[in-house]
Amino acid sequence: MRVKLFAAVTAFLAAMIGLPATAASAATPCPSGTVCLYADANYGGRMIYYTVSLGGGIPNLAHDISFNDTASSIINNSNGVVRFWTDASYKGYYFEIGTLKWNSNLVNNGFNDLISSFEVRAIGG
Ligand SMILES: [Ca+2]
């Protein structure tokens, strides 16, 4: 009975904040050798991943993948250093994430829902 009540309360709270009840399930893993961008904090919501190689990047997240100004958390599961920009074509303000680093909530560094492009700056950083 107690468990059922907990489940009902959880579902109710999920509904209140506009999330499906399954939102608490495990985040989509970030494949090895890629950098992953998540629409929600703590690696939730829609996710895109990109295979890291020197000189690579996505100059415009609005094109094809519709991920402009969307990312709220990031995982770099690669050996590259990735620079994220607030504007397309690697312009505006930026921050970098090194090899095997992550940021669970881009509110923390002021880049939430702002990333419009990213580029691989180095390998082995
Ligand atoms: Ca932007």
Side-chain angles (χ1 to χ4, degrees):
M1 194 64 178
R2 197 177 181 88
V3 171
K4 267 188 178 172
L5 178 60
F6 176 77
V9 168
T10 302
F12 174 70
L13 290 175
M16 276 189 60
I17 57 176
L19 294 174
T22 53
S25 63
T28 308
C30 185
S32 180
T34 74
V35 61
C36 298
L37 285 68
Y38 295 84
D40 297 344
N42 299 310
Y43 322 115
R46 198 158 70 90
M47 181 269 257
I48 61 168
Y49 63 92
Y50 177 83
T51 301
V52 168
S53 64
L54 189 59
I58 296 184
N60 191 337
L61 286 165
H63 280 181
D64 302 328
I65 48 182
S66 298
F67 220 79
N68 189 46
D69 295 346
T70 297
S72 296
S73 55
I74 284 170
I75 297 175
N76 181 8
N77 193 17
S78 79
N79 64 348
V81 177
V82 184
R83 181 176 289 186
F84 297 89
W85 293 88
T86 57
D87 295 345
S89 304
Y90 317 132
K91 292 176 179 165
Y93 298 97
Y94 71 83
F95 70 98
E96 287 185 352
I97 288 189
T99 298
L100 302 179
K101 294 288 198 316
W102 57 88
N103 187 323
S104 64
N105 190 342
L106 295 178
V107 169
N108 295 336
N109 68 353
F111 282 85
N112 188 46
D113 292 347
L114 287 176
I115 295 171
S116 294
S117 62
F118 66 84
E119 59 178 331
V120 181
R121 298 286 296 182
I123 295 292

